[in-house]
């Protein structure tokens, strides 16, 4: 099977028109008419990830975050992005990224987060229409059973493997309805409130947005990387279902650049 067939399967699930205007999803580096030897699935492309692809004989790297987010005026060894481009081309590796198109896709990043949390009756938090393609920026659902706010935060820590959740004042009523938006999803807070959610879960939010929502909604910020860490599972399920015989490898490298001391 050629790389282009894998790319087509991914883009059918998360069409590129769903990406935000600022984004650069899709083909990043390399050729697509080559036969695929294996696909390495990751959140971020780093030099270590490219080395891992070489070791595992994967000539396709599928990432969530684009390697090339801003235009390159030159390709040297000046920074890790340019070094990754050089290393990928030198080793015949193609890099494809599914970013905000996968965030906005039905069944994409936010739906995977909701699945891990066990949310039921999922609905789009804000519908997105990109031509003939329908998507959703964030989702809202309900817990199987209402939870006290403290227990809800504890559940998030267990599910997403975080030591700390940034939260506002603990809600004094049970949490039942939950809205969420992975990554830098703080911009969806107003939509979460309008949807009547008891809690809003995201990866990043501005400091000032925490103010003035005490006892209105339980805000829980779990970290950008942490909120999107299960994205590889989406890639894997698409490729295994639509591209029979293509070997998938989930990266073993934790690419989160933030450490917690």
């Amino acid at each position: 099977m050629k790389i282009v067939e894998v790319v087509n399967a991914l883009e059918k699930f998360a069409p590129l028109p769903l990406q935000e205007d600022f984004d650069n999803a899709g083909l990043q580096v390399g050729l697509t008419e080559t036969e695929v030897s294996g696909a390495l699935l990751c959140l971020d492309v780093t030099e270590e990830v490219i080395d891992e692809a070489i070791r595992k004989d994967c000539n396709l790297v599928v990432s969530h975050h684009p390697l090339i987010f801003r235009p390159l005026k030159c390709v040297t060894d000046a920074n890790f992005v340019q070094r990754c481009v050089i290393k990928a081309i030198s080793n015949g590796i193609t890099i494809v990224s599914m970013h905000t198109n996968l965030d906005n896709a039905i069944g994409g990043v936010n739906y995977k987060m909701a699945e891990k949390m066990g949310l039921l009756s999922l609905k789009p938090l804000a519908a997105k229409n990109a031509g003939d393609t329908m998507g959703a920026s964030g989702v809202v659902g309900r817990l199987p059973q209402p939870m006290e706010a403290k227990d809800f935060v504890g559940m998030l820590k267990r599910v997403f493997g975080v030591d700390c959740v940034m939260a506002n004042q603990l809600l004094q009523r049970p949490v039942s309805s939950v809205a969420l938006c992975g990554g830098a999803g703080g911009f969806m807070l107003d939509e979460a409130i309008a949807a009547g959610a008891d809690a809003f879960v995201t990866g990043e939010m501005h400091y000032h947005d925490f103010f003035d929502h005490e006892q209105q909604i339980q805000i829980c910020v779990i970290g950008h990387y942490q909120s999107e860490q299960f994205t590889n599972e989406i890639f894997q399920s698409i490729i295994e279902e639509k591209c029979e015989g293509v070997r998938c490898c989930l990266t073993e490298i934790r690419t989160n650049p933030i450490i917690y001391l």
Side-chain angles (χ1 to χ4, degrees):
M1 181 171 288
K2 293 182 178 181
I3 288 175
V4 66
E5 296 176 78
V6 179
V7 175
N8 288 342
L10 292 167
E11 292 186 0
K12 185 174 182 180
F13 182 90
L16 291 181
L18 283 178
Q19 71 178 309
E20 303 295 339
D21 292 341
F22 62 80
D23 202 7
N24 187 42
L27 180 65
Q28 304 283 297
V29 174
L31 306 175
T32 60
E33 290 296 327
T34 307
E35 184 175 341
V36 60
S37 62
L40 180 66
L41 315 178
C42 60
L43 194 65
D44 307 287
V45 181
T46 65
E47 292 173 89
E48 286 183 295
V49 168
I50 299 294
D51 289 336
E52 183 184 20
I54 295 169
R55 288 196 310 273
K56 295 181 176 179
D57 190 29
C58 294
N59 64 351
L60 173 62
V61 171
V62 181
S63 71
H64 180 46
H65 296 138
L67 172 64
I68 304 174
F69 192 72
R70 299 177 180 85
L72 297 178
K73 294 185 177 181
C74 63
V75 180
T76 67
D77 63 352
N79 56 51
F80 89 93
V81 172
Q82 295 179 45
R83 291 193 295 270
C84 283
V85 171
I86 292 171
K87 183 171 287 191
I89 293 174
S90 298
N91 289 277
I93 293 173
T94 297
I95 301 172
V96 175
S97 301
M98 299 284 112
H99 191 211
T100 53
N101 53 321
L102 192 65
D103 289 332
N104 294 329
I106 303 297
V109 174
N110 297 311
Y111 287 79
K112 177 59 71 172
M113 289 178 64
E115 174 191 318
K116 295 294 182 179
M117 295 166 59
L119 298 185
L120 306 172
S121 305
L122 299 182
K123 297 184 294 185
L125 189 55
K128 181 178 179 62
N129 190 335
D132 296 329
T133 305
M134 291 300 298
S137 297
V139 298
V140 60
R142 61 177 178 82
L143 293 166
Q145 297 292 334
M147 303 176 70
E148 295 300 317
K150 184 178 179 181
D151 296 331
F152 177 72
V153 172
M155 178 270 288
L156 293 178
K157 292 171 71 172
R158 291 191 302 273
V159 168
F160 294 96
V162 298
D163 295 324
C164 177
V165 172
M166 295 175 64
N168 62 343
Q169 183 185 84
L170 287 179
L171 207 62
Q172 294 174 10
R173 67 175 187 271
V175 174
S176 180
S177 175
V178 180
L180 60 88
C181 185
F187 68 97
M188 295 297 293
L189 177 61
D190 289 343
E191 283 78 0
I193 294 169
D198 299 309
F200 176 61
V201 181
T202 188
E204 287 184 40
M205 208 168 81
H206 293 300
Y207 170 81
H208 293 285
D209 292 338
F210 281 85
F211 283 99
D212 205 28
H213 298 297
E214 296 82 5
Q215 300 309 312
Q216 181 185 39
I217 191 168
Q218 184 66 66
I219 297 170
C220 296
V221 179
I222 61 175
H224 194 123
Y225 177 94
Q226 290 85 348
S227 70
E228 298 178 333
Q229 62 185 292
F230 303 115
T231 303
N232 293 348
E233 296 179 15
I234 305 173
F235 294 145
Q236 183 178 30
S237 63
I238 296 169
I239 295 172
E240 289 182 348
E241 179 182 350
K242 302 297 184 181
C243 306
E244 185 177 354
V246 172
R247 180 173 56 92
C248 289
C249 300
L250 275 64
T251 184
E252 299 176 48
I253 298 170
R254 184 177 175 85
T255 56
N256 188 1
I258 302 170
I259 61 174
Y260 305 87
L261 303 175

